[in-house]
Amino acid sequence: MGSACIKVTKYFLFLFNLLFFVLGAVILGFGVWILADRSSFISVLQTSSTSLKAGAYVFIGVGGFTMLMGFLGCIGAVNEVRCLLGMYFAFLLLILIAQVTAGVLFYFNMGKLKQEMGSIVTKLIQNYTDGHEDSLQEAWDYVQAQVQCCGWVSFYNWTENAELMSRINITYPCSCENKSKEDNNSLLPQMGFCEAPVGNGTQSSNNPDDWPVYKEGCMEKVQAWLQENLGIILGVCVGIAVIELLGMLLSIFLCRHVHSEDYSKVPKY
């Protein structure tokens, strides 16, 4: 095997590992986003769902480990160190198996996540308290205002809130208010309960049919968001898997054609 071919192979392997390092950072960032997000329904779900929290920690661990392997792969490729190339191949194989297993488990647990989401939101709506500062309530207010929906299945879910239905005048969740597009651009939605202006007629009860709110529930829109982003996540994972396979092939090819081990090439710090 000519030295020129080996040089081309090792620099291709270096570029693949550099891209691999960047994609590992993307995976790590996705896990951090799940844990740190406080302004979407992900916050609502991860506060009460241990499975989503565990998944976020798995993403962080896999991302960090992937970045480490990309770094070692770069050193092994440029310096032609067989032990690093062999270790790199073995760890890539383990990561690939772990990613496939995690992807399959995540896909088949989507139904469970949807059920957990529905249960959490229903309980949140029932226990929602006007004027009470709570991160979970604020996150759900943000979801309803930005997604332009009300309740989980429909706005009638809010009739299960005893405090809201005890009001004499027409009172509704502020974040559900059906606003025009111009008025809906605010990043900070209204919190708590709002009382509708008194019209010409007299109102003797808080009838939900008179609420000026979005009529569509958030369930379908949240599920559509999950499906859309699941496709993006799976696409990223497939792309990373392809890069991993190419990296494994290049590393084993280079390892087989490095005739002697030279530890003096390993950088000393």
Side-chain angles (χ1 to χ4, degrees), residues 118-139:
S119 176
I120 293 167
V121 172
T122 301
K123 186 176 180 180
L124 172 62
I125 290 174
Q126 291 174 349
N127 298 326
Y128 191 100
T129 304
D130 188 20
H132 177 62
E133 293 186 3
D134 181 79
S135 59
L136 205 56
Q137 290 188 176
E138 292 175 2

Side-chain angles (χ1 to χ4, degrees), residues 1 12 14 22 27 38 46 57 61 78 97 102 128 134 144 151-152 169 176 178 185 207 209 213 228 243:
M1 179 64 65
F12 262 115
F14 175 82
V22 173
I27 296 176
R38 290 294 181 270
Q46 69 98 2
Y57 287 120
V78 172
I97 294 173
Y128 191 100
D134 181 79
Q144 291 187 134
W152 181 241
N169 298 324
C176 285
N178 192 345
N185 289 331
N207 187 351
D209 292 324
V213 299
E228 178 183 348
I243 294 174

Side-chain angles (χ1 to χ4, degrees), residues 81-132:
V81 181
R82 294 184 68 184
C83 66
L84 284 180
L85 291 172
M87 183 173 64
Y88 172 73
F89 175 86
F91 280 127
L92 271 188
L93 182 60
L94 291 176
I95 291 176
L96 185 60
I97 294 173
Q99 284 178 342
V100 172
T101 303
V104 171
L105 291 175
F106 183 78
Y107 180 81
F108 285 105
N109 279 324
M110 281 296 295
K112 182 180 178 181
L113 284 175
K114 292 175 184 177
Q115 291 178 355
E116 287 182 352
M117 185 69 183
S119 176
I120 293 167
V121 172
T122 301
K123 186 176 180 180
L124 172 62
I125 290 174
Q126 291 174 349
N127 298 326
Y128 191 100
T129 304
D130 188 20
H132 177 62

Side-chain angles (χ1 to χ4, degrees), residues 163-181:
E163 180 184 351
L164 176 61
M165 298 310 297
S166 65
R167 303 293 179 91
I168 298 176
N169 298 324
I170 296 179
T171 308
Y172 56 91
C174 299
S175 58
C176 285
E177 185 175 353
N178 192 345
K179 299 179 180 179
S180 63
K181 291 183 179 179

Side-chain angles (χ1 to χ4, degrees), residues 40-257:
S40 74
F41 68 89
I42 289 292
S43 172
V44 178
L45 185 55
Q46 69 98 2
T47 301
S48 304
S49 175
T50 56
S51 59
L52 190 63
K53 283 185 178 180
Y57 287 120
V58 169
F59 276 120
I60 292 174
V62 170
F65 193 68
T66 300
M67 292 175 68
L68 176 62
M69 287 301 100
F71 177 73
L72 292 179
C74 287
I75 295 177
V78 172
N79 295 285
E80 299 178 13
V81 181
R82 294 184 68 184
C83 66
L84 284 180
L85 291 172
M87 183 173 64
Y88 172 73
F89 175 86
F91 280 127
L92 271 188
L93 182 60
L94 291 176
I95 291 176
L96 185 60
I97 294 173
Q99 284 178 342
V100 172
T101 303
V104 171
L105 291 175
F106 183 78
Y107 180 81
F108 285 105
N109 279 324
M110 281 296 295
K112 182 180 178 181
L113 284 175
K114 292 175 184 177
Q115 291 178 355
E116 287 182 352
M117 185 69 183
S119 176
I120 293 167
V121 172
T122 301
K123 186 176 180 180
L124 172 62
I125 290 174
Q126 291 174 349
N127 298 326
Y128 191 100
T129 304
D130 188 20
H132 177 62
E133 293 186 3
D134 181 79
S135 59
L136 205 56
Q137 290 188 176
E138 292 175 2
W140 184 243
D141 283 328
Y142 183 89
V143 170
Q144 291 187 134
Q146 295 301 313
V147 181
Q148 298 184 357
C149 57
C150 190
W152 181 241
V153 178
S154 74
F155 71 100
Y156 283 110
N157 286 131
W158 280 98
T159 60
E160 299 176 16
N161 185 285
E163 180 184 351
L164 176 61
M165 298 310 297
S166 65
R167 303 293 179 91
I168 298 176
N169 298 324
I170 296 179
T171 308
Y172 56 91
C174 299
S175 58
C176 285
E177 185 175 353
N178 192 345
K179 299 179 180 179
S180 63
K181 291 183 179 179
E182 292 77 11
D183 295 334
N184 202 48
N185 289 331
S186 175
L187 296 176
L188 297 175
Q190 289 182 282
M191 310 294 179
F193 299 145
C194 290
E195 188 172 318
V198 179
N200 295 328
T202 58
Q203 296 290 342
S204 59
S205 64
N206 188 15
N207 187 351
D209 292 324
D210 296 325
W211 293 351
V213 299
Y214 301 111
K215 305 303 179 183
E216 186 179 359
C218 299
M219 179 176 66
E220 293 184 1
K221 293 189 175 183
V222 166
Q223 289 179 351
W225 188 95
L226 285 173
Q227 292 295 337
E228 178 183 348
N229 285 272
L230 178 63
I232 296 174
I233 294 170
L234 290 177
V236 171
C237 290
V238 169
I240 292 174
V242 171
I243 294 174
E244 287 172 348
L245 287 173
L246 291 174
M248 290 168 64
L249 292 174
L250 289 174
S251 64
I252 200 66
F253 175 82
L254 184 60
C255 188
R256 289 183 60 185
H257 291 90

